[in-house]
């Protein structure tokens, strides 16, 4: 039964990863939180386990998603190279920061952050959006500034257990990048974030001498395998759908998804 649940989570998360470029973390984290709670894991480690496992599964999801987006020319590789070093370093040490926070504090932080992002994404839909990829007026910051931005995104991604899409997509669209390219580049950036974050949660989890059944540090092995297998295939489907939707519609759908997840975590953190 547990394996079936993990496969279902993987199917839903994979589709969301391809569609929104979020690495599936915004879906995986709340669902794993519910599942691990029902499995009677310690309340002090449930949120950390959900975050670490989420990042581990995003490794596979991101590979599938970025391949699909790259075939459609949706990945800005020069931007990827500028953001990646900071993202990897920031995400690894961000896992250590997350490990030092309580589960309740993590829930409130994640909920508040996603609500803010959802609001900005939704209201941003009223502004002019580039609808033609070739005509997008893109002026990105300098390489050093992109490196610093990547570090910030990396730290936040570890604390939120996501592939960075919740920050990378708004960051790129803010500078005029068309939504499809922002989603594609975000999907690519999710790979170094996921690898560094998963390693961080395993290292810091073992360093704190946390013993969780079927887990290495804060990464649950069975959940990782079940979710990864299914999400690898459904991420491709989500990516195809993303390129069939208008930038404005995609942006509003993304914001609604984040708003729903944020309300869930705020409710759990407060009550």
């Amino acid at each position: 039964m547990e394996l079936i649940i993990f496969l279902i989570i993987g199917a839903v998360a994979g589709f969301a990863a391809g569609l929104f470029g979020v690495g599936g973390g915004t879906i995986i984290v709340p669902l794993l939180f519910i599942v691990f709670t029902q499995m009677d894991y310690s309340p002090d480690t449930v949120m950390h386990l959900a975050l670490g496992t989420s990042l581990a599964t995003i490794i596979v999801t991101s590979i599938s998603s970025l391949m699909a987006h790259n075939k459609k020319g949706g990945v800005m590789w020069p931007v990827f190279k500028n953001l990646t070093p900071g993202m990897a370093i920031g995400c690894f040490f961000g896992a250590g920061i997350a490990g030092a926070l309580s589960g309740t504090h993590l829930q409130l932080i994640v909920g508040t952050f996603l609500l803010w992002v959802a609001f900005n994404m939704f209201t941003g839909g009223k502004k002019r959006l580039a609808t033609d990829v070739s005509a997008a007026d893109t002026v990105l910051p300098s390489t050093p500034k992109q490196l610093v931005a990547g570090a910030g995104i990396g730290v936040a991604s570890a604390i939120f257990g996501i592939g960075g899409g919740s920050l990378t997509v708004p960051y790129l669209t803010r500078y005029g990048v068309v939504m499809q390219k922002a989603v594609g580049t975000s999907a690519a950036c999710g790979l170094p974030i996921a690898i560094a974050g998963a390693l961080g949660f395993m290292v810091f989890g073992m360093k704190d001498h946390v013993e969780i059944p079927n887990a290495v540090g804060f990464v649950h092995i069975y959940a990782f395998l079940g979710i990864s297998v299914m999400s690898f295939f459904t991420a491709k489907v989500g990516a195809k759908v993303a390129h069939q939707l208008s930038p404005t519609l995609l942006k509003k759908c993304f914001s609604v998804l984040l708003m729903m997840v944020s309300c869930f975590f705020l409710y759990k953190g407060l009550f």
Side-chain angles (χ1 to χ4, degrees), residues 21-23 54-67 75 77 80 84-85 87-89 91 157 162-165 168 183-199 224 232:
V22 296
S54 172
L55 283 167
T57 62
I58 293 172
I59 295 175
V60 179
T61 305
S62 294
I63 294 175
S64 176
S65 184
L66 76 85
M67 288 175 60
V75 180
W77 291 109
F80 168 82
T84 294
M87 285 180 166
I89 296 173
C91 197
S157 297
I162 58 178
T168 307
V183 170
T185 305
S186 172
C189 290
L191 182 57
I193 284 177
I195 293 174
L199 289 174
F224 162 70
F232 181 83

Side-chain angles (χ1 to χ4, degrees), residues 82-95 97 113 116 144-160 162-168 171 193:
N82 292 337
L83 293 174
T84 294
M87 285 180 166
I89 296 173
C91 197
F92 181 84
F93 289 102
I97 297 175
F113 167 74
W116 175 79
K145 289 183 178 180
Q146 289 184 49
L147 183 65
V148 173
I153 292 173
V155 172
S157 297
I159 296 176
F160 306 141
I162 58 178
S166 301
L167 276 173
T168 307
Y171 172 73
I193 284 177

Side-chain angles (χ1 to χ4, degrees), residues 16-52:
L19 184 62
F20 301 114
V22 296
T26 51
I27 298 294
I28 296 174
V29 173
L31 292 180
L32 283 182
F33 177 85
I34 295 174
V35 172
F36 290 149
T37 299
Q38 294 300 315
M39 293 172 66
D40 294 327
Y41 284 125
S42 170
D44 296 330
T45 60
V46 166
M47 192 64 183
H48 300 81
L49 188 60
L51 294 173

Side-chain angles (χ1 to χ4, degrees), residues 23 28 49 107 117 230 234-235 239 255:
I28 296 174
L49 188 60
Q107 292 166 31
V117 172
M230 188 60 72
T234 57
S255 65

